[in-house]
Amino acid sequence: MRNGTVLKSGALPDTDALNKINQYTRRPFSAEEVYTFRVALCDNEIDRDYERFTTKALSDLGRLFLGKTGIFNHSMDASTQVARIYDTALETDQSRKTMAGEPYCRLVAMAYLPRCDKNRDLMLEIDSGMKKEVSVGCSVGSMNCSICGTDLREKSCGHQKGELYNGKVCCAVLSNPQDAYEWSFVAVPAQREAGVTKGFKNSGMEDDAAWGKRYREKLMKKTVKAISLLHPEIEGDTVRRMALALSPEELEQVEDSLQKNLQEKLPLAPQLMCREKKAQKNDNEPYCI
Protein backbone atom coordinates (compact mmCIF):
# COMPACT_ATOMS: atom_id res chain seq x y z
CA MET A 1 0.00 0.00 0.00
CA ARG A 2 1.34 3.65 -0.89
CA ASN A 3 0.53 6.70 1.12
CA GLY A 4 -0.17 10.43 1.02
CA THR A 5 -1.58 13.55 2.66
CA VAL A 6 -4.57 15.89 2.62
CA LEU A 7 -3.38 19.19 1.17
CA LYS A 8 -6.28 21.62 1.12
CA SER A 9 -9.95 21.43 2.05
CA GLY A 10 -13.27 23.22 2.32
CA ALA A 11 -13.37 25.23 -0.91
CA LEU A 12 -16.62 25.32 -2.87
CA PRO A 13 -16.26 23.57 -6.23
CA ASP A 14 -16.47 25.64 -9.39
CA THR A 15 -18.75 24.71 -12.28
CA ASP A 16 -16.23 22.36 -13.93
CA ALA A 17 -15.50 20.57 -10.66
CA LEU A 18 -19.20 20.28 -9.84
CA ASN A 19 -19.89 18.71 -13.24
CA LYS A 20 -17.20 16.10 -12.53
CA ILE A 21 -18.63 15.41 -9.07
CA ASN A 22 -22.13 14.97 -10.43
CA GLN A 23 -20.90 12.18 -12.70
CA TYR A 24 -20.79 10.06 -9.53
CA THR A 25 -23.97 11.23 -7.77
CA ARG A 26 -27.51 9.87 -8.15
CA ARG A 27 -28.90 13.41 -8.54
CA PRO A 28 -27.26 16.77 -9.33
CA PHE A 29 -25.68 18.34 -6.24
CA SER A 30 -25.10 22.07 -5.77
CA ALA A 31 -21.74 23.49 -4.74
CA GLU A 32 -23.08 24.20 -1.25
CA GLU A 33 -24.06 20.55 -0.77
CA VAL A 34 -20.58 19.09 -1.16
CA TYR A 35 -17.33 19.43 0.76
CA THR A 36 -14.15 19.06 -1.31
CA PHE A 37 -10.54 18.51 -0.39
CA ARG A 38 -7.25 17.95 -2.16
CA VAL A 39 -5.18 14.82 -1.48
CA ALA A 40 -1.61 13.86 -2.41
CA LEU A 41 -2.10 10.14 -2.95
CA CYS A 42 1.44 8.97 -3.73
CA ASP A 43 4.71 10.09 -5.33
CA ASN A 44 7.89 8.83 -6.98
CA GLU A 45 10.07 9.17 -3.87
CA ILE A 46 11.52 6.07 -2.19
CA ASP A 47 9.15 5.34 0.69
CA ARG A 48 9.56 3.78 4.13
CA ASP A 49 9.29 0.30 2.59
CA TYR A 50 12.08 1.16 0.12
CA GLU A 51 9.75 1.06 -2.85
CA ARG A 52 8.92 3.75 -5.38
CA PHE A 53 6.56 4.34 -8.27
CA THR A 54 7.79 5.38 -11.70
CA THR A 55 6.39 8.65 -13.03
CA LYS A 56 4.56 6.71 -15.74
CA ALA A 57 3.00 4.52 -13.05
CA LEU A 58 1.73 7.62 -11.23
CA SER A 59 0.15 8.87 -14.46
CA ASP A 60 -1.58 5.52 -15.02
CA LEU A 61 -2.78 5.44 -11.41
CA GLY A 62 -4.32 8.86 -11.93
CA ARG A 63 -6.77 7.37 -14.40
CA LEU A 64 -7.37 4.27 -12.31
CA PHE A 65 -8.23 6.23 -9.16
CA LEU A 66 -11.00 8.30 -10.75
CA GLY A 67 -14.24 7.51 -8.94
CA LYS A 68 -12.56 5.39 -6.27
CA THR A 69 -13.91 5.60 -2.75
CA GLY A 70 -12.15 6.82 0.39
CA ILE A 71 -12.39 4.67 3.51
CA PHE A 72 -10.72 4.19 6.91
CA ASN A 73 -7.71 1.91 7.51
CA HIS A 74 -8.30 -0.11 4.34
CA SER A 75 -11.43 -1.67 5.81
CA MET A 76 -13.58 -3.47 3.27
CA ASP A 77 -16.72 -2.62 5.29
CA ALA A 78 -19.03 -0.45 3.16
CA SER A 79 -19.98 1.54 6.27
CA THR A 80 -16.50 3.11 6.29
CA GLN A 81 -16.94 4.76 2.88
CA VAL A 82 -16.64 8.51 3.41
CA ALA A 83 -15.54 10.22 0.19
CA ARG A 84 -14.92 9.76 -3.53
CA ILE A 85 -12.26 11.00 -5.97
CA TYR A 86 -13.60 13.05 -8.87
CA ASP A 87 -10.40 14.38 -10.45
CA THR A 88 -6.64 13.67 -10.49
CA ALA A 89 -3.51 15.39 -11.74
CA LEU A 90 0.28 14.98 -11.73
CA GLU A 91 2.39 17.70 -10.14
CA THR A 92 6.13 17.87 -10.90
CA ASP A 93 8.76 19.94 -9.07
CA GLN A 94 11.81 20.17 -11.35
CA SER A 95 13.78 21.96 -8.63
CA ARG A 96 13.49 19.00 -6.28
CA LYS A 97 15.20 15.65 -6.78
CA THR A 98 14.19 12.31 -5.29
CA MET A 99 16.61 9.90 -3.62
CA ALA A 100 16.77 8.17 -7.02
CA GLY A 101 17.88 11.43 -8.65
CA GLU A 102 14.66 12.11 -10.58
CA PRO A 103 12.52 15.27 -10.57
CA TYR A 104 9.98 14.95 -7.76
CA CYS A 105 6.47 14.05 -8.97
CA ARG A 106 3.28 13.31 -7.06
CA LEU A 107 -0.25 12.18 -7.89
CA VAL A 108 -2.83 14.63 -6.51
CA ALA A 109 -6.56 13.94 -6.33
CA MET A 110 -9.67 15.99 -5.65
CA ALA A 111 -12.24 14.26 -3.45
CA TYR A 112 -15.72 15.15 -2.25
CA LEU A 113 -18.19 14.14 0.41
CA PRO A 114 -21.74 15.39 1.08
CA ARG A 115 -22.20 18.16 3.65
CA CYS A 116 -24.47 16.58 6.25
CA ASP A 117 -24.70 16.07 10.00
CA LYS A 118 -23.07 12.65 9.75
CA ASN A 119 -19.96 14.12 8.08
CA ARG A 120 -19.68 17.25 10.22
CA ASP A 121 -17.07 15.80 12.58
CA LEU A 122 -15.02 14.37 9.70
CA MET A 123 -14.98 17.72 7.89
CA LEU A 124 -13.82 19.39 11.11
CA GLU A 125 -11.08 16.77 11.57
CA ILE A 126 -9.88 17.29 7.98
CA ASP A 127 -9.88 21.08 8.36
CA SER A 128 -8.01 20.86 11.68
CA GLY A 129 -5.36 18.54 10.25
CA MET A 130 -6.33 15.62 12.49
CA LYS A 131 -7.38 13.54 9.49
CA LYS A 132 -4.47 14.15 7.15
CA GLU A 133 -2.46 11.06 6.23
CA VAL A 134 -3.80 8.69 3.60
CA SER A 135 -2.75 5.39 2.05
CA VAL A 136 -3.71 3.91 -1.31
CA GLY A 137 -4.54 0.31 -2.19
CA CYS A 138 -3.57 -0.79 -5.68
CA SER A 139 -1.81 -3.54 -7.62
CA VAL A 140 1.08 -3.30 -10.05
CA GLY A 141 2.29 -5.60 -12.78
CA SER A 142 6.02 -5.03 -12.33
CA MET A 143 8.34 -4.87 -9.34
CA ASN A 144 12.01 -4.63 -10.26
CA CYS A 145 15.27 -4.17 -8.37
CA SER A 146 16.52 -0.61 -8.88
CA ILE A 147 20.13 -1.84 -8.99
CA CYS A 148 20.05 -4.74 -11.45
CA GLY A 149 16.49 -4.72 -12.84
CA THR A 150 15.66 -8.25 -11.66
CA ASP A 151 11.95 -9.04 -11.53
CA LEU A 152 11.50 -9.45 -7.77
CA ARG A 153 8.25 -11.31 -8.33
CA GLU A 154 10.18 -14.15 -9.95
CA LYS A 155 13.32 -14.38 -7.83
CA SER A 156 15.62 -12.61 -5.41
CA CYS A 157 18.67 -10.90 -6.86
CA GLY A 158 20.64 -10.64 -3.63
CA HIS A 159 20.51 -6.85 -3.43
CA GLN A 160 19.10 -5.63 -0.11
CA LYS A 161 16.51 -2.85 -0.10
CA GLY A 162 17.76 0.20 1.76
CA GLU A 163 21.43 -0.64 1.19
CA LEU A 164 23.78 1.53 -0.89
CA TYR A 165 25.37 0.16 -4.06
CA ASN A 166 27.85 2.49 -5.75
CA GLY A 167 26.12 5.39 -4.03
CA LYS A 168 22.61 4.37 -5.07
CA VAL A 169 19.90 3.29 -2.64
CA CYS A 170 18.45 -0.11 -3.50
CA CYS A 171 14.66 -0.17 -3.75
CA ALA A 172 11.84 -1.95 -5.56
CA VAL A 173 10.62 0.00 -8.61
CA LEU A 174 6.86 -0.32 -9.06
CA SER A 175 5.37 0.08 -12.54
CA ASN A 176 2.59 -1.06 -14.86
CA PRO A 177 -0.38 -0.50 -12.49
CA GLN A 178 -3.13 -3.07 -12.93
CA ASP A 179 -5.87 -1.67 -10.71
CA ALA A 180 -6.62 0.91 -8.00
CA TYR A 181 -8.88 -0.33 -5.23
CA GLU A 182 -9.33 2.41 -2.66
CA TRP A 183 -7.61 5.08 -0.58
CA SER A 184 -7.78 5.30 3.18
CA PHE A 185 -7.27 7.65 6.07
CA VAL A 186 -4.51 6.07 8.16
CA ALA A 187 -2.31 6.98 11.13
CA VAL A 188 1.11 6.22 9.59
CA PRO A 189 1.46 6.15 5.79
CA ALA A 190 4.29 4.29 4.04
CA GLN A 191 5.03 7.32 1.87
CA ARG A 192 6.30 10.23 3.90
CA GLU A 193 4.36 12.92 2.04
CA ALA A 194 1.10 11.15 1.29
CA GLY A 195 -2.05 12.73 2.75
CA VAL A 196 -4.75 15.78 2.72
CA THR A 197 -2.89 17.51 0.04
CA LYS A 198 -1.14 13.96 0.03
CA GLY A 199 -0.71 5.02 0.99
CA PHE A 200 0.54 -0.71 -1.72
CA LYS A 201 0.15 -3.44 -1.93
CA ASN A 202 -0.60 -6.08 -4.06
CA SER A 203 -3.57 -8.19 -3.42
CA GLY A 204 -7.16 -8.89 -4.15
CA MET A 205 -8.21 -7.80 -3.05
CA GLU A 206 -5.23 -9.73 -3.96
CA ASP A 207 -3.49 -11.62 -1.25
CA ASP A 208 -0.62 -9.17 -0.86
CA ALA A 209 -2.92 -6.22 -0.23
CA ALA A 210 -4.85 -8.13 2.38
CA TRP A 211 -1.82 -9.34 4.31
CA GLY A 212 0.78 -6.75 3.38
CA LYS A 213 3.93 -7.12 1.34
CA ARG A 214 6.12 -6.68 4.33
CA TYR A 215 4.49 -9.51 6.25
CA ARG A 216 4.52 -11.77 3.18
CA GLU A 217 8.22 -11.14 2.60
CA LYS A 218 9.04 -12.01 6.21
CA LEU A 219 7.04 -15.22 5.87
CA MET A 220 8.88 -16.03 2.65
CA LYS A 221 12.29 -15.45 4.21
CA LYS A 222 11.44 -17.66 7.17
CA THR A 223 10.04 -20.35 4.88
CA VAL A 224 13.04 -20.28 2.53
CA LYS A 225 15.43 -20.40 5.47
CA ALA A 226 13.61 -23.33 7.06
CA ILE A 227 13.50 -25.34 3.82
CA SER A 228 17.19 -24.64 3.23
CA LEU A 229 18.07 -25.91 6.71
CA LEU A 230 15.94 -29.03 6.37
CA HIS A 231 16.85 -29.72 2.72
CA PRO A 232 20.28 -28.20 1.97
CA GLU A 233 20.45 -30.20 -1.25
CA ILE A 234 17.79 -27.92 -2.84
CA GLU A 235 19.21 -24.77 -4.47
CA GLY A 236 18.22 -21.43 -2.93
CA ASP A 237 16.62 -20.05 -6.13
CA THR A 238 14.50 -23.19 -6.44
CA VAL A 239 13.32 -22.84 -2.86
CA ARG A 240 12.38 -19.19 -3.36
CA ARG A 241 10.42 -19.95 -6.54
CA MET A 242 8.52 -22.60 -4.61
CA ALA A 243 7.71 -20.08 -1.87
CA LEU A 244 6.63 -17.44 -4.39
CA ALA A 245 3.92 -19.78 -5.65
CA LEU A 246 2.28 -19.92 -2.21
CA SER A 247 -0.40 -17.56 -0.93
CA PRO A 248 0.19 -15.77 2.40
CA GLU A 249 -2.14 -18.19 4.17
CA GLU A 250 -0.28 -21.16 2.66
CA LEU A 251 3.05 -19.62 3.64
CA GLU A 252 1.84 -19.33 7.22
CA GLN A 253 0.86 -23.00 7.31
CA VAL A 254 4.05 -24.20 5.63
CA GLU A 255 6.32 -22.01 7.77
CA ASP A 256 4.64 -23.19 10.96
CA SER A 257 5.02 -26.84 9.96
CA LEU A 258 8.66 -26.32 8.97
CA GLN A 259 9.47 -24.68 12.29
CA LYS A 260 8.06 -27.72 14.12
CA ASN A 261 10.21 -30.01 11.95
CA LEU A 262 13.25 -27.87 12.70
CA GLN A 263 12.65 -28.16 16.41
CA GLU A 264 12.49 -31.94 16.07
CA LYS A 265 15.48 -32.42 13.79
CA LEU A 266 17.69 -29.55 14.98
CA PRO A 267 17.01 -29.26 18.73
CA LEU A 268 20.02 -27.01 19.41
CA ALA A 269 17.86 -24.25 20.86
CA PRO A 270 20.60 -21.78 21.94
CA GLN A 271 22.30 -21.86 18.54
CA LEU A 272 19.04 -21.65 16.61
CA MET A 273 17.89 -18.72 18.73
CA CYS A 274 21.13 -16.90 18.05
CA ARG A 275 20.84 -17.52 14.33
CA GLU A 276 17.23 -16.36 14.37
CA LYS A 277 18.22 -13.08 16.04
CA LYS A 278 20.87 -12.54 13.38
CA ALA A 279 18.31 -13.23 10.66
CA GLN A 280 15.95 -10.71 12.21
CA LYS A 281 18.70 -8.15 12.30
CA ASN A 282 19.33 -8.65 8.59
CA ASP A 283 15.61 -8.27 7.95
CA ASN A 284 15.45 -4.71 9.25
CA GLU A 285 14.86 -3.20 5.84
CA PRO A 286 11.13 -2.50 5.45
CA TYR A 287 9.25 -4.28 2.71
CA CYS A 288 2.54 -2.85 1.13
CA ILE A 289 -0.80 0.01 -2.81
Side-chain angles (χ1 to χ4, degrees), residues 1-3 45-52 135 143 152 160-162 169-174 188-192 199-201 212-215 217 284-289:
M1 236 132 256
R2 300 264 86 57
N3 305 271
E45 184 57 277
I46 299 175
D47 65 20
R48 292 186 176 97
D49 293 331
Y50 291 103
E51 298 176 346
R52 70 176 181 87
S135 173
M143 180 186 297
L152 299 178
Q160 298 297 314
K161 291 194 293 184
V169 178
C170 179
C171 67
V173 181
L174 310 176
V188 181
Q191 291 201 317
R192 295 171 177 82
F200 163 135
K201 289 198 190 311
K213 291 179 185 174
R214 186 172 180 174
Y215 179 56
E217 180 64 14
N284 277 342
E285 76 278 358
Y287 186 73
C288 356
I289 250 269

Coordinates of all heavy atoms in Angstrom, one line a residue, residues 1-3 45-52 135 143 152 160-162 169-174 188-192 199-201 212-215 217 284-289:
M1 N 0.8 -1.1 0.0 CA 0.0 0.0 0.0 C 0.8 1.2 0.0 O 1.7 1.2 0.9 CB -0.7 0.0 1.2 CG -2.1 0.0 1.3 SD -2.9 -0.7 2.1 CE -3.5 -1.6 1.3
R2 N 0.5 2.5 -0.9 CA 1.3 3.6 -0.9 C 0.5 4.7 -0.2 O -0.7 4.6 -0.1 CB 1.7 4.2 -2.3 CG 2.5 3.1 -3.1 CD 3.9 3.4 -3.0 NE 4.6 2.8 -1.9 CZ 4.6 1.6 -1.5 NH1 3.9 0.7 -2.2 NH2 5.3 1.1 -0.5
N3 N 1.2 5.8 0.2 CA 0.5 6.7 1.1 C 0.7 8.2 0.8 O 1.6 8.6 0.0 CB 1.0 6.4 2.5 CG 0.9 5.0 2.9 OD1 -0.1 4.6 3.4 ND2 1.9 4.2 2.6
E45 N 9.0 9.2 -4.8 CA 10.1 9.2 -3.9 C 10.2 7.8 -3.3 O 9.2 7.0 -3.2 CB 9.9 10.2 -2.7 CG 11.0 10.3 -1.7 CD 12.3 10.6 -2.3 OE1 13.0 9.7 -2.8 OE2 12.7 11.8 -2.3
I46 N 11.3 7.4 -2.9 CA 11.5 6.1 -2.2 C 10.8 6.2 -0.8 O 11.1 7.1 -0.1 CB 13.0 5.7 -2.0 CG1 13.7 5.6 -3.4 CG2 13.2 4.4 -1.3 CD1 15.2 5.4 -3.4
D47 N 9.9 5.2 -0.5 CA 9.1 5.3 0.7 C 9.8 4.6 1.8 O 10.9 4.0 1.7 CB 7.7 4.9 0.4 CG 7.6 3.5 0.1 OD1 8.5 2.7 0.4 OD2 6.5 3.1 -0.5
R48 N 9.0 4.5 2.9 CA 9.6 3.8 4.1 C 9.8 2.3 3.9 O 10.5 1.6 4.7 CB 8.6 4.0 5.3 CG 8.5 5.4 5.8 CD 7.7 5.6 7.1 NE 7.7 6.9 7.6 CZ 6.8 7.8 7.3 NH1 5.7 7.5 6.6 NH2 6.8 9.0 7.8
D49 N 9.1 1.7 2.9 CA 9.3 0.3 2.6 C 10.4 0.1 1.5 O 10.5 -1.0 1.0 CB 8.0 -0.3 2.1 CG 6.9 -0.4 3.2 OD1 7.3 -0.5 4.3 OD2 5.7 -0.3 2.8
Y50 N 11.1 1.2 1.2 CA 12.1 1.2 0.1 C 11.5 0.7 -1.2 O 12.0 -0.3 -1.8 CB 13.3 0.3 0.5 CG 14.1 1.0 1.7 CD1 14.0 0.6 3.0 CD2 14.9 2.2 1.4 CE1 14.6 1.2 4.0 CE2 15.5 2.8 2.4 CZ 15.4 2.4 3.7 OH 16.1 3.0 4.7
E51 N 10.4 1.3 -1.6 CA 9.7 1.1 -2.9 C 9.4 2.4 -3.4 O 9.3 3.4 -2.7 CB 8.5 0.2 -2.7 CG 8.7 -1.2 -2.1 CD 7.4 -1.9 -1.9 OE1 6.3 -1.2 -1.9 OE2 7.4 -3.1 -1.6
R52 N 9.3 2.5 -4.7 CA 8.9 3.7 -5.4 C 8.2 3.5 -6.7 O 8.4 2.5 -7.4 CB 10.1 4.6 -5.6 CG 11.1 4.1 -6.7 CD 12.2 5.1 -7.0 NE 13.1 4.7 -8.1 CZ 12.9 4.9 -9.4 NH1 11.8 5.6 -9.8 NH2 13.8 4.5 -10.3
S135 N -3.5 6.5 2.7 CA -2.8 5.4 2.0 C -3.6 4.8 0.9 O -4.8 4.8 1.0 CB -2.5 4.3 3.1 OG -1.9 3.2 2.5
M143 N 7.6 -5.3 -10.5 CA 8.3 -4.9 -9.3 C 9.8 -5.3 -9.6 O 10.1 -6.5 -9.5 CB 7.8 -5.5 -8.1 CG 8.5 -5.2 -6.8 SD 7.9 -6.1 -5.4 CE 6.2 -5.6 -5.3
L152 N 11.5 -8.9 -9.1 CA 11.5 -9.4 -7.8 C 10.3 -10.3 -7.5 O 10.2 -11.0 -6.5 CB 11.5 -8.3 -6.8 CG 12.7 -7.4 -6.9 CD1 12.6 -6.2 -5.9 CD2 14.0 -8.2 -6.6
Q160 N 19.9 -5.9 -1.3 CA 19.1 -5.6 -0.1 C 18.5 -4.2 -0.2 O 19.2 -3.2 -0.3 CB 19.9 -5.8 1.2 CG 20.5 -7.2 1.4 CD 19.4 -8.2 1.5 OE1 18.5 -8.0 2.3 NE2 19.5 -9.3 0.8
K161 N 17.2 -4.2 -0.1 CA 16.5 -2.9 -0.1 C 17.0 -2.0 1.1 O 17.1 -2.4 2.2 CB 15.0 -3.0 0.0 CG 14.4 -3.6 -1.3 CD 12.9 -3.5 -1.4 CE 12.2 -4.3 -0.3 NZ 10.7 -4.2 -0.4
G162 N 17.3 -0.7 0.7 CA 17.8 0.2 1.8 C 19.3 0.3 1.8 O 19.8 1.3 2.4
V169 N 20.7 4.0 -3.6 CA 19.9 3.3 -2.6 C 19.1 2.2 -3.4 O 18.4 2.5 -4.4 CB 18.9 4.2 -1.9 CG1 18.0 3.4 -0.9 CG2 19.7 5.3 -1.1
C170 N 19.2 1.0 -2.9 CA 18.4 -0.1 -3.5 C 17.0 0.0 -3.1 O 16.7 0.2 -1.9 CB 19.0 -1.4 -3.1 SG 18.2 -2.9 -3.7
C171 N 16.1 -0.2 -4.0 CA 14.7 -0.2 -3.8 C 13.9 -1.0 -4.8 O 14.5 -1.4 -5.8 CB 14.1 1.3 -3.7 SG 14.1 2.1 -5.3
A172 N 12.7 -1.3 -4.6 CA 11.8 -1.9 -5.6 C 11.1 -0.9 -6.4 O 10.5 0.0 -5.8 CB 10.8 -2.9 -4.9
V173 N 11.3 -1.0 -7.7 CA 10.6 0.0 -8.6 C 9.3 -0.6 -9.1 O 9.2 -1.6 -9.7 CB 11.5 0.3 -9.8 CG1 10.9 1.3 -10.7 CG2 12.9 0.8 -9.4
L174 N 8.2 0.1 -8.7 CA 6.9 -0.3 -9.1 C 6.4 0.3 -10.3 O 6.4 1.6 -10.5 CB 5.9 0.0 -7.9 CG 6.4 -0.4 -6.5 CD1 5.4 0.1 -5.4 CD2 6.6 -1.9 -6.4
V188 N -0.3 6.1 10.0 CA 1.1 6.2 9.6 C 1.2 5.7 8.2 O 1.1 4.5 7.9 CB 2.1 5.4 10.5 CG1 3.5 5.5 10.0 CG2 1.9 5.9 11.9
P189 N 1.4 6.6 7.2 CA 1.5 6.1 5.8 C 2.9 5.7 5.5 O 3.8 6.1 6.1 CB 1.1 7.4 5.0 CG 1.6 8.5 5.9 CD 1.4 8.1 7.3
A190 N 3.0 4.8 4.5 CA 4.3 4.3 4.0 C 5.1 5.4 3.3 O 6.3 5.6 3.5 CB 4.1 3.1 3.1
Q191 N 4.4 6.2 2.5 CA 5.0 7.3 1.9 C 5.0 8.5 2.8 O 4.0 8.9 3.4 CB 4.3 7.6 0.5 CG 4.6 6.5 -0.5 CD 4.4 7.0 -1.9 OE1 3.4 7.8 -2.2 NE2 5.2 6.7 -2.8
R192 N 6.1 9.2 2.9 CA 6.3 10.2 3.9 C 5.4 11.5 3.6 O 5.1 12.2 4.5 CB 7.8 10.6 4.0 CG 8.7 9.5 4.5 CD 10.1 9.9 4.4 NE 11.0 8.8 4.9 CZ 11.3 7.7 4.3 NH1 10.9 7.5 3.1 NH2 12.1 6.8 4.9
G199 N -0.4 5.7 0.9 CA -0.7 5.0 1.0 C -0.5 4.0 0.2 O -0.7 4.1 -0.6
F200 N 0.7 -0.2 -0.4 CA 0.5 -0.7 -1.7 C 0.8 -2.0 -1.5 O 1.7 -2.4 -0.8 CB 1.5 -0.2 -2.6 CG 1.6 -1.0 -3.9 CD1 1.6 -0.4 -5.1 CD2 1.5 -2.4 -3.8 CE1 1.6 -1.2 -6.1 CE2 1.5 -3.1 -4.9 CZ 1.6 -2.5 -6.1
K201 N 0.1 -2.1 -2.2 CA 0.1 -3.4 -1.9 C -0.4 -4.2 -3.0 O -1.1 -3.7 -3.8 CB -0.5 -3.7 -0.7 CG 0.3 -3.1 0.4 CD 0.0 -3.7 1.7 CE 0.6 -3.0 2.7 NZ 1.7 -2.6 3.1
G212 N -0.3 -7.7 3.3 CA 0.8 -6.7 3.4 C 2.0 -7.4 2.8 O 2.4 -8.5 3.1
K213 N 2.7 -6.6 2.0 CA 3.9 -7.1 1.3 C 5.0 -7.4 2.4 O 5.8 -8.3 2.3 CB 4.5 -6.1 0.3 CG 3.6 -5.9 -0.9 CD 4.3 -4.9 -1.8 CE 3.4 -4.6 -2.9 NZ 3.9 -3.5 -3.8
R214 N 5.1 -6.5 3.3 CA 6.1 -6.7 4.3 C 6.0 -8.0 5.1 O 6.9 -8.7 5.3 CB 6.1 -5.5 5.3 CG 7.2 -5.5 6.3 CD 7.2 -4.2 7.1 NE 8.3 -4.1 8.0 CZ 8.5 -3.0 8.7 NH1 7.8 -1.9 8.6 NH2 9.5 -3.0 9.6
Y215 N 4.8 -8.3 5.5 CA 4.5 -9.5 6.2 C 4.7 -10.7 5.4 O 5.3 -11.7 5.8 CB 3.0 -9.5 6.7 CG 2.6 -10.7 7.5 CD1 3.4 -11.1 8.6 CD2 1.5 -11.5 7.1 CE1 3.0 -12.3 9.3 CE2 1.2 -12.6 7.8 CZ 1.9 -13.0 8.9 OH 1.6 -14.1 9.6
E217 N 6.8 -11.0 2.8 CA 8.2 -11.1 2.6 C 8.9 -11.8 3.8 O 9.8 -12.6 3.7 CB 8.9 -9.8 2.3 CG 10.4 -9.8 2.0 CD 10.7 -10.6 0.8 OE1 9.8 -10.9 0.0 OE2 11.9 -11.0 0.6
N284 N 15.9 -6.0 8.8 CA 15.5 -4.7 9.2 C 14.9 -3.8 8.1 O 14.1 -3.0 8.4 CB 16.6 -3.9 10.0 CG 16.7 -4.3 11.4 OD1 15.8 -4.9 12.0 ND2 17.8 -4.1 12.0
E285 N 15.4 -4.1 6.9 CA 14.9 -3.2 5.8 C 13.4 -3.4 5.6 O 12.9 -4.6 5.5 CB 15.6 -3.5 4.5 CG 15.3 -4.7 3.8 CD 16.0 -5.9 4.3 OE1 16.7 -5.7 5.3 OE2 15.7 -7.0 3.8
P286 N 12.6 -2.3 5.6 CA 11.1 -2.5 5.4 C 10.8 -3.1 4.1 O 11.5 -2.9 3.1 CB 10.6 -1.1 5.6 CG 11.7 -0.3 6.2 CD 13.0 -1.0 5.8
Y287 N 9.7 -3.8 4.0 CA 9.3 -4.3 2.7 C 7.8 -4.0 2.5 O 7.0 -4.1 3.4 CB 9.4 -5.8 2.7 CG 9.1 -6.3 1.3 CD1 9.9 -6.2 0.3 CD2 7.9 -7.0 1.1 CE1 9.6 -6.7 -1.0 CE2 7.6 -7.5 -0.1 CZ 8.5 -7.3 -1.2 OH 8.2 -7.8 -2.4
C288 N 4.0 -2.8 1.4 CA 2.5 -2.9 1.1 C 2.6 -3.1 0.7 O 2.4 -2.0 -0.1 CB 1.0 -2.5 1.0 SG -0.1 -1.8 1.1
I289 N 0.1 0.2 -2.6 CA -0.8 0.0 -2.8 C -1.8 0.1 -2.6 O -1.8 1.1 -2.7 CB -1.4 -0.3 -2.8 CG1 -0.8 -0.1 -3.4 CG2 -1.1 -0.2 -2.8 CD1 -1.5 0.1 -3.0

